[in-house]
Structures are given as structure tokens and as C-alpha cells.
Amino acid sequence: GAVVSQHPSWVICKSGTSVKIECRSLDFQATTMFWYRQFPKQSLMLMATSNEGSKATYEQGVEKDKFLINHASLTLSTLTVTSAHPEDSSFYICSATRPPRSTDTQYFGPGTRLTVL
Amino acid sequence: ILNVEQSPQSLHVQEGDSTNFTCSFPSSNFYALHWYRWETAKSPEALFVMTLNGDEKKKGRISATLNTKEGYSYLYIKGSQPEDSATYLCAFQTGANNLFFGTGTRLTVIP
């Protein structure tokens, strides 16, 4: 159990367009989902924490108007990269926890490779 | 941003060899230490969550130890197999689910 899917697995888009990435928990309800990104040779960096039905909490330096997060249901969170630019090219990966223990494992999706031309 | 370091960055071992890698993390504000195995094109797979100083966890041929006072954790793989080839990530948790990841150790097991 505890499978998280992510779609698409890769996307190429033109500069200025918006891209939506979906993260779904397939066999459990996730009240909290997380979005990370990873630049080449760097570690996974938390972008935002998303709770179902409420606004996401963004990490310092992450523009909330550029990276729109919607967590409309207990099994789905979406990340929309608005007006994407080449510097947004990165690997984006989501995770989810099962409530309620705070030390509970985060279950990850397989990630999305975004390339902005 | 907390500094979590993993070493080595990569290593190659022969099938059957045992190996180990290190994760170093801040010794203050410790809540938990996570280990993940990440195979290419797949989701990171949770291996261990460790919370207490002196913790030892084992899963098959893989085990991990934790020293929160000095801020390090070791991951051991006994009798490496080709299917163990992956990147092993550690993540330091301070609380409230915030994980700070290292850059990983990429293991290649040569048949």
C-alpha cells in the first residue's frame, strides 16, 4: 500500500506557457502533500506543503504566484508552474503522508521532469 | 536550510561485497532520520525512519544505525546484489514533517 502517482512523467513546454502536474495518492487518503524540486547535482528541496482544503504553505524563496498549488481532495494535489521560463526547468516530485503521526513516512511519486524551451 | 551531507557521492562494489555509507546531519533539533532507496525512473522507496539515539533498524540485508548526539547515521548493505543498485537518500526531520535531504549516495553493484 501507499502508492503515489504523478502525471506527467516528463513535459517539454515553451517559455511563457503554464504546466500542470498532478499528484495522486492511489490507495490512501493524504491530508498533507508536499512538493519538492531537484536541480542537477542538488538535493530534493521542499517547495511547499499542501493540506486538503486549505492554502499551501510555501518555503522561503518559492513564489506562490508562480507555483500554484491546489489540494482539492484527499487524494489529489496539483502544482501549476505559471508562465514557465527556462530557469524553471527541473525535476518536480510530490509526496504524501498518512495521518496522524508526524514521524510518518512520506510516500513519493516518481517525479516529473520539466523542460522549458 | 539545514546541511545534510552524504558520503560517498557514488561507489561501485562487486556483487557479494558488503558496503556502507554515511549521512551527517545537525545534532540539534533532531526529530527523525529517514532513509530512502531511489531507483532510476521509480519513486523513492522508504527504508527506515529512525527516532532514538542508538536506534538500529534492519530490513533483509540492509540495516542502519543512528547517533543523534554526534549527528550521523550509517546504512549498511550486506552481500550486495545487482538489484541493490540505486541512489540511497537520507533525510533529516526537525518536526512537522519537514524533511531536509542529502544529495544521496549512488550505489552500483557489479555482477
Side-chain angles (χ1 to χ4, degrees):
Chain A
V3 179
V4 176
S5 70
Q6 208 171 320
H7 178 79
S9 55
W10 59 270
V11 56
I12 301 172
C13 70
K14 291 183 179 180
S15 187
T17 60
S18 294
V19 173
K20 181 186 281 190
I21 302 170
E22 290 188 351
C23 177
R24 291 181 187 272
S25 56
L26 298 185
D27 53 0
F28 66 100
Q29 293 185 332
T31 53
T32 305
M33 287 184 167
F34 304 85
W35 287 96
Y36 295 83
R37 64 182 166 185
Q38 184 182 38
F39 292 107
K41 297 189 187 294
Q42 295 187 23
S43 60
L44 293 175
M45 294 292 291
L46 181 66
M47 298 176 66
T49 302
S50 159
N51 289 293
E52 185 262 340
S54 61
K55 290 185 179 180
T57 303
Y58 290 81
E59 295 300 300
Q60 194 172 9
V62 178
E63 300 173 58
K64 62 180 180 182
D65 294 330
K66 182 169 185 62
F67 299 99
L68 301 180
I69 292 172
N70 184 284
H71 192 161
S73 79
L74 285 172
T75 59
L76 173 64
S77 177
T78 60
L79 168 69
T80 301
V81 184
T82 62
S83 186
H85 287 96
E87 58 265 29
D88 298 322
S89 297
S90 187
F91 184 77
Y92 294 85
I93 190 168
C94 69
S95 70
T97 55
R98 290 199 252 194
R101 291 172 3 216
S102 61
T103 56
D104 214 353
T105 300
Q106 289 187 22
Y107 300 95
F108 282 85
T112 297
R113 173 80 55 195
L114 170 63
T115 302
V116 185
L117 302 176
Chain B
I1 297 177
L2 299 177
N3 196 27
V4 179
E5 295 187 357
Q6 290 188 248
S7 63
Q9 284 189 348
S10 67
L11 76 162
H12 292 70
V13 300
Q14 290 291 137
E15 182 176 354
D17 286 352
S18 295
T19 187
N20 65 84
F21 354 113
T22 305
C23 173
S24 301
F25 52 86
S27 54
S28 59
N29 297 319
F30 177 86
Y31 199 93
L33 193 282
H34 300 246
W35 280 102
Y36 287 86
R37 175 170 60 200
W38 195 1
E39 295 180 65
T40 304
K42 294 186 178 180
S43 301
E45 174 198 354
L47 291 174
F48 306 114
V49 180
M50 308 176 79
T51 56
L52 298 175
N53 185 43
D55 243 358
E56 285 192 36
K57 299 257 180 165
K58 189 174 181 183
K59 187 176 183 178
R61 293 178 291 100
I62 305 176
S63 60
T65 61
L66 178 68
N67 184 323
T68 60
K69 293 186 189 306
E70 296 182 41
Y72 64 84
S73 176
Y74 293 137
L75 188 81
Y76 301 90
I77 301 179
K78 186 177 178 181
S80 303
Q81 299 297 308
E83 58 264 31
D84 296 328
S85 297
T87 296
Y88 291 82
L89 297 176
C90 72
F92 172 73
Q93 182 179 358
T94 59
N97 292 119
N98 282 14
L99 299 185
F100 297 89
F101 283 85
T103 52
T105 293
R106 182 186 287 273
L107 172 67
T108 303
V109 181
I110 304 164

